[in-house]
Amino acid sequence: MTIIPSRRHAAPEAPITGSGVTTADLTRQLFGPDRERIHGAWRKLTTDPRMHRRPEAGIADQIAASYQRLRLVNQVGEAIELAGDPYRLTALHEWTGPLDGALTVLVGIHYNLFLGSLVDHDPHEKRPLEGFAAMERVGTFLCTELAHGNDATALETTAVYDRADRTFTLHTPNAGAQKFMPNTSLAGGPKSAVVAARLLIEDRDHGIFLFLVPLSDEAGILPGVRVRELPLRPGSPVDHCLTAFDQLVLPREAMLCGDHGRLADDGTFTSALGSKRKRFLTSIGRVTLGKLCMSASAIGVARAALATAVRYAHHREVTGARADRRLPVWAHRTHHGPLLEGLATVYAMTALHRETVARWAEHDRNDPADAAEAERQVAVAKGWTTWQARELIIEARERCGAQGLLPVNGIIAAAQDIEGTITAEGDNLALWAKAGAELLLAADTEPAAAHGGELTDPATRQALLHAAEQAQLARARTRLRAAPAGDSLRRWNAAAPAALAAVTVRAERAAGAALLAAAERASDPRARAALYDLHQLFTLRRVDAAGGLLLSGHHLTAAQLAELPDLVEQSIGRLADQAAELVAAFDLPEEFFATRPIATPGYQEAFEDAGAHWNLAASA
């Protein structure tokens, strides 16, 4: 007999709380002054039992349920407005991530990549958006191909324009050109897609553009479209497929146009951009916001996993030094230390994400240099936050022991789902290789990092991280110059390890700066002190990792390096009694935790057996 632990959807009678930190101020620093407008509706969704994934259900039922949840999301607010609001759109991913990883995939595709791409291009009277906004048809996005992922500029799917009848013929020329992994099955109802294809007019290649393509209706897959489901991937199931087109005829309004490319009635093509690569990147501009959505999802999942682990550690008891004394596992430094370091990291991740979303939302669209800098910040943040989330989820799982392996407790599926987040919207390593190359060739416009202050000074720790970043870039440039001239790949390979190490420190420094800014904004003294301690714990660990480099560069003394572990322990000691408030500030409702047995004090009741002999004897 399979045991399915019971789930409660009422709030526990005695949620875990503590003293010493003003939770409200911490929440304000995590979510900002506009928290209710940006996060309120999405937070409320977490209290709805229908929004929670049921891992015990069959695969087909789980996929269908994720699409039903997508429709529940669509009942909240106005879809087109949501697609145009990067603050609310990314926030949506923070709250759906812990509920259902598959749902997070679907909302990112439908609202950002599909509907957002339609909104960002020229409107057309024959291409109304209302049906998509009402979710009469679910939207999906077909860009990467079986043979072309990170080199998407080499896509082979073609859209050949016929001047005579003013139509396009969409075609997949070979197996490698099949669109790889979009959710194009019949699950979820009729679907349309935005498809990336190479525009050919009289055999002239004008670059890759997006085309609106109906894929299916109530009767099934449409003629000219071929869909085959891919093998199931681990984690929350999504209907990933291979999709191909066989001489599919599309009307002229199917092409999504803008300044980067337009087609006149007579078939004349015009573009404000001479570069095919730039035309393509402009067409798929929504991918940048998609990176922020992936970061948001990873951060939300990491916060939920850590909160679950911290709560469990407070009510999971073990035998103490005396056989008659029981202690929560949280009492042990070996248990709470890694979780507190995880909390410091996730606070820094959240602070960095808030700044990065604002940077992208407010950047100057008319300034290419500002746009490029904002896009690089998004890419660096996406790589760092999703990689960090993986480590934090694994740590939370381990601290929950065997209970962490049960899908009902919400952590193990997150550990699987995060792998897709790392790859989606640009593989992390590819994103960082590009960022590293850009930093390698750019001048550091910030003032030289100062050193010599006390490690208890936040500014000193930030300066040390800057010094570590500069040292890694200097090392990369030295290796680049030393490599043989004339072989660009060999030169890059020589410089790449140090360049990517510099990207890592750059992300850590930016996260530290964002967390420090949050500490300085805090109005409650106890909240401010806790945030400063989180900053100290976060940055000291990063300074320690770069200790050899900083010591050899005379930025750090041997005495400071020796002092560093004691300062780490002091921060952990001060934070240990404040963990309950630190996770309460994540603002996850008690109804959410009630669906995860180990997050509640009565977690053993979820596994109670009413028919067992101990209960039968008691009732006799």
Side-chain angles (χ1 to χ4, degrees):
M1 180 178 67
T2 300
I3 299 172
I4 300 176
S6 63
R7 294 183 178 208
R8 296 180 296 170
H9 291 286
E13 294 182 4
I16 293 178
T17 58
S19 61
V21 173
T22 301
T23 301
D25 200 8
L26 290 172
T27 300
R28 188 160 47 249
Q29 302 315 315
L30 283 170
F31 295 98
D34 206 8
R35 175 169 62 99
E36 183 57 32
R37 184 189 75 81
I38 295 173
H39 296 271
W42 313 136
R43 178 186 183 275
K44 187 176 180 180
L45 285 176
T46 68
T47 67
D48 187 337
R50 297 172 297 175
M51 294 299 296
H52 292 258
R53 179 186 172 221
R54 294 282 182 170
E56 69 274 12
I59 298 302
D61 289 340
Q62 287 191 56
I63 291 173
S66 293
Y67 279 101
Q68 291 167 4
R69 293 181 192 113
L70 178 64
R71 297 183 183 281
L72 291 175
V73 170
N74 205 56
Q75 296 175 11
V76 181
E78 209 281 321
I80 296 175
E81 180 181 308
L82 173 62
D85 185 342
Y87 295 100
R88 292 188 67 240
L89 183 57
T90 53
L92 170 60
H93 290 72
E94 281 186 59
W95 297 94
T96 58
L99 298 176
D100 177 4
L103 171 63
T104 307
V105 172
L106 299 181
V107 298
I109 293 172
H110 179 79
Y111 291 108
N112 181 52
L113 296 176
F114 176 79
L115 196 55
S117 293
L118 293 176
V119 168
D120 288 352
H121 286 77
D122 292 345
H124 197 289
E125 60 183 9
K126 294 184 179 180
R127 201 173 61 226
L129 303 182
E130 288 74 18
F132 300 124
M135 212 165 280
E136 295 170 5
R137 301 181 68 82
V138 173
T140 185
F141 186 80
L142 281 62
C143 184
T144 56
E145 297 175 351
L146 185 60
H148 305 289
N150 290 323
D151 67 333
T153 52
L155 296 180
E156 297 180 72
T157 300
T158 57
V160 179
Y161 186 66
D162 187 323
R163 292 178 186 267
D165 59 12
R166 297 181 179 180
T167 61
F168 298 97
T169 299
L170 188 67
H171 188 63
T172 303
N174 55 60
Q178 295 175 93
K179 294 299 182 181
F180 183 67
M181 287 197 77
N183 56 314
T184 52
S185 81
L186 295 176
K191 292 177 182 176
S192 290
V194 169
V195 180
R198 193 170 297 280
L199 174 62
L200 302 177
I201 304 176
E202 295 178 347
D203 295 327
R204 183 176 178 183
D205 181 356
H206 292 279
I208 299 168
F209 292 87
L210 299 181
F211 297 82
L212 179 61
V213 182
L215 300 177
S216 57
D217 58 18
E218 291 80 359
I221 301 297
L222 295 174
V225 182
R226 181 171 175 79
V227 174
R228 295 182 297 147
E229 292 191 25
L230 285 165
L232 187 67
R233 68 171 177 81
S236 307
V238 178
D239 57 318
H240 291 301
C241 299
L242 283 171
T243 308
F245 305 98
D246 184 11
Q247 306 293 337
L248 179 63
V249 177
L250 302 172
R252 192 174 72 84
E253 63 269 17
M255 179 178 170
L256 304 191
C257 298
D259 290 343
H260 62 294
R262 288 192 176 90
L263 204 59
D265 289 339
D266 63 358
T268 301
F269 175 82
T270 58
S271 175
L273 302 174
S275 165
K276 293 179 187 177
R277 177 179 175 80
K278 289 182 179 180
R279 294 172 190 171
F280 170 62
L281 294 177
T282 302
S283 294
I284 63 165
R286 274 283 165 158
V287 170
T288 300
L289 183 52
K291 294 180 179 66
L292 287 169
C293 292
M294 293 302 98
S295 295
S297 170
I299 292 166
V301 168
R303 286 199 305 255
L306 285 169
T308 300
V310 169
R311 289 166 66 102
Y312 183 50
H314 278 80
H315 53 244
R316 170 68 171 180
E317 294 185 342
V318 293
T319 303
R322 290 169 41 184
D324 61 346
R325 186 181 181 193
R326 302 282 288 176
L327 293 172
V329 293
W330 183 262
H332 291 274
R333 164 63 179 82
T334 51
H335 195 96
H336 67 241
L339 290 175
L340 286 169
E341 292 193 37
L343 290 178
T345 300
V346 86
Y347 265 76
M349 290 161 60
T350 304
L352 175 62
H353 176 69
R354 299 283 175 251
E355 289 198 356
T356 306
V357 171
R359 178 74 176 90
W360 178 250
E362 309 302 331
H363 80 271
D364 187 349
R365 268 82 178 154
N366 297 315
D367 183 348
D370 189 57
E373 174 58 35
E375 186 171 350
R376 180 164 60 245
Q377 181 174 332
V378 169
V380 170
K382 187 261 181 179
W384 185 73
T385 53
T386 55
W387 270 327
Q388 291 298 306
R390 173 203 271 162
E391 293 185 14
L392 299 182
I393 292 165
I394 291 172
E395 186 66 53
R397 205 293 305 159
E398 289 189 15
R399 298 287 66 74
C400 292
Q403 287 279 5
L405 294 171
L406 299 182
V408 71
N409 287 318
I411 298 178
I412 194 65
Q416 297 169 321
D417 291 340
I418 194 65
E419 299 301 326
T421 309
I422 287 168
T423 300
E425 315 297 21
D427 183 87
N428 281 0
L429 190 59
L431 295 177
W432 273 29
K434 181 176 181 291
E438 291 172 351
L439 293 176
L440 191 61
L441 300 175
D444 190 345
T445 57
E446 296 183 53
H451 59 89
E454 297 294 327
L455 287 180
T456 52
D457 179 7
T460 295
R461 299 192 298 271
Q462 287 295 134
L464 287 169
L465 292 178
H466 190 190
E469 178 188 344
Q470 291 174 319
Q472 292 288 9
L473 285 174
R475 177 179 290 174
R477 289 168 183 144
T478 298
R479 291 175 177 174
L480 185 71
R481 288 190 295 268
D487 188 339
S488 59
L489 178 58
R490 190 170 177 181
R491 296 184 74 208
W492 166 245
N493 284 342
L500 266 64
V503 176
T504 300
V505 185
R506 186 181 187 87
E508 293 169 344
R509 179 166 67 94
L515 180 55
L516 181 57
E520 292 170 347
R521 287 193 302 267
S523 58
D524 181 85
R526 294 167 297 174
R528 188 184 311 118
L531 289 168
Y532 276 127
D533 266 322
L534 290 170
H535 180 269
Q536 176 163 304
L537 183 54
F538 174 78
T539 51
L540 283 178
R541 281 303 192 197
R542 275 67 189 179
V543 168
D544 190 23
L549 193 64
L550 292 169
L551 191 63
S552 64
H554 306 292
H555 298 287
L556 194 66
T557 67
Q560 286 177 314
L561 203 55
E563 176 194 24
L564 194 150
D566 291 333
L567 295 177
V568 167
E569 291 304 315
Q570 290 170 20
S571 290
I572 290 175
R574 288 190 293 267
L575 290 168
D577 292 335
Q578 302 172 349
E581 288 79 12
L582 291 172
V583 299
F586 295 163
D587 207 25
L588 286 160
E590 287 301 317
E591 292 89 342
F592 169 83
F593 289 117
T595 67
R596 298 182 170 206
I598 61 171
T600 64
Y603 71 96
Q604 295 182 41
E605 297 171 8
F607 299 90
E608 182 57 282
D609 183 355
H613 57 276
W614 57 83
N615 283 319
L616 295 178
S619 61

